[in-house]
């Protein structure tokens, strides 16, 4: 009986952890295939993003990803070939907004995140990154990433969402579902 109790006690955390559902998300990207990114300047929606620390962390990560593609930061907006604009939002995840077109948009009831998350009030985190050619105003890339979480902490999720939003950078692939472990 002692062996059974020991096995049960050791396996219980694994069983509970195994029942934890993955974090589900969505990535949507559009733009020009193999666009040439040369110099850029980053703008953000300060009112939506909140703290300066979050804005700096997001901008720094975007800088790293842009430089990996061979683009260099411009000293000022006037010297940039591309404008990189990003915005981030967190909203209660009780409802999902489904946009079909202006006349047919509707809200659908959100989902529970899993067996053990029944008491969870979940939030949808969404990051949108757009890269626009400053000379002609053409959208060169748009990456949108969203996930649902049981907490509204932006700091924990901003790097993951930035990676997701920029994952198709230079080669947009449209809409797809993503999942990852907590």
């Amino acid at each position: 009986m002692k062996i059974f109790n020991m096995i049960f006690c050791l396996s219980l955390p694994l069983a509970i952890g195994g029942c934890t559902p993955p974090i589900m998300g969505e990535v949507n990207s559009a733009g020009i295939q193999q666009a040439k990114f040369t110099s850029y300047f980053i703008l953000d929606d300060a009112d939506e993003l909140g703290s300066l620390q979050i804005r700096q962390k997001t901008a720094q990560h975007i800088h790293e990803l842009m430089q990996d593609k061979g683009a260099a930061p411009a000293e000022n907006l006037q010297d940039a070939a591309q404008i990189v604009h990003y915005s981030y939002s967190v909203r209660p995840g009780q409802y999902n907004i489904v946009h079909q077109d202006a006349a047919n948009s509707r809200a659908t009831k959100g989902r529970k995140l899993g067996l053990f998350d029944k008491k969870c009030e979940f939030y949808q985190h969404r990051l949108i990154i757009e890269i626009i050619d400053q000379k002609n105003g053409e959208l060169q890339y748009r990456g949108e990433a969203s996930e649902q979480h049981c907490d509204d902490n932006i700091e924990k999720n901003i790097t993951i969402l930035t990676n997701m939003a920029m994952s198709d950078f230079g080669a947009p692939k449209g809409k797809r579902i993503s999942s990852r472990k907590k």
Side-chain angles (χ1 to χ4, degrees):
M1 194 65 161
K2 283 185 179 182
I3 293 175
F4 176 76
N5 286 342
M6 188 168 44
I7 292 171
F8 178 76
C9 290
L10 291 173
S11 63
L12 185 60
L14 292 173
I16 291 171
C19 293
T20 303
I23 296 174
M24 298 303 292
E26 186 175 279
V27 177
N28 192 5
S29 62
I32 300 170
Q33 293 289 333
Q34 300 179 353
K36 301 279 189 243
F37 301 103
T38 54
S39 63
Y40 63 92
F41 190 81
I42 296 178
L43 300 172
D44 64 42
D45 286 342
D47 292 342
E48 288 183 31
L49 291 168
S51 81
L52 179 61
Q53 181 179 352
I54 299 299
R55 292 169 51 210
Q56 288 174 334
K57 185 176 182 178
T58 306
Q60 179 58 40
H61 198 55
I62 292 171
H63 277 297
E64 292 167 6
L65 296 169
M66 291 292 290
Q67 290 171 10
D68 285 349
K69 289 289 186 179
E75 290 292 320
N76 56 54
L77 182 60
Q78 292 75 23
D79 294 338
Q82 288 91 24
I83 299 169
V84 178
H85 176 263
Y86 67 95
S87 63
Y88 186 88
S89 64
V90 177
R91 66 175 178 81
Q94 182 179 3
Y95 292 96
N96 298 324
I97 306 300
V98 178
H99 297 284
Q100 294 169 343
D101 58 46
N104 295 314
S105 292
R106 58 185 164 77
T108 61
K109 188 129 174 97
R111 63 179 179 84
K112 287 190 178 3
L113 294 180
L115 180 64
F116 296 104
D117 293 330
K118 289 181 181 174
K119 295 180 182 174
C120 165
E121 181 179 340
F122 62 97
Y123 297 86
Q124 184 175 49
H125 296 238
R126 173 170 280 146
L127 174 68
I128 299 171
I129 301 172
E130 296 177 319
I131 303 173
I132 301 157
D133 185 293
Q134 182 158 260
K135 188 174 184 178
N136 62 19
E138 181 179 44
L139 178 69
Q140 294 185 323
Y141 181 76
R142 176 183 164 88
E144 181 178 340
S146 64
E147 287 187 333
Q148 292 183 352
H149 296 273
C150 281
D151 89 57
D152 61 352
N153 187 332
I154 294 172
E155 251 181 286
K156 288 181 184 178
N157 305 308
I158 196 67
T159 301
I160 291 166
L161 286 174
T162 304
N163 284 336
M164 288 171 62
M166 295 290 282
S167 64
D168 299 341
F169 182 55
K173 296 178 180 133
K175 189 183 251 186
R176 67 183 182 281
I177 301 296
S178 71
S179 71
R180 64 180 178 85
K181 294 190 183 259
K182 286 185 180 184

